Amino acid sequence: MTGAGEWLRTAREERWGILTDLAFAVVWVTIVETVNYLLGPPTLVYYMLMLAGIVAYFGFIWNFELATRRQNQ
């Protein structure tokens, strides 16, 4: 089991990644909750939108890394 000091060092090294993940999650869930509140779709649609957030997240990260690599070339 890892110690708290090692966990803090890892978190400090990856802080921008963690903040990006958190920001994306908050924005995505807010959008889905807003759609759910305004349109009142069936529960299955709500869950599908939440699952679509996983695909959207990896697409966002992949495109961001691709753009960063192109900019550094």
Side-chain angles (χ1 to χ4, degrees), residues 23-45:
F24 185 86
V26 168
V27 168
W28 188 263
V29 170
T30 302
I31 290 170
V32 171
E33 287 295 329
T34 303
V35 167
N36 188 45
Y37 178 75
L38 295 175
L39 300 179
T43 305
L44 180 62
V45 174

Side-chain angles (χ1 to χ4, degrees), residues 10-31:
T10 304
R12 284 186 184 129
E13 291 171 1
E14 300 176 4
R15 71 176 163 231
W16 294 116
I18 292 170
L19 289 175
T20 303
D21 296 348
L22 178 63
F24 185 86
V26 168
V27 168
W28 188 263
V29 170
T30 302
I31 290 170

Side-chain angles (χ1 to χ4, degrees), residues 49-65:
L49 285 172
M50 285 295 191
L51 287 174
I54 296 169
V55 176
Y57 170 77
F58 284 110
F60 170 74
I61 295 300
W62 180 70
N63 282 326
F64 182 74
E65 288 176 358

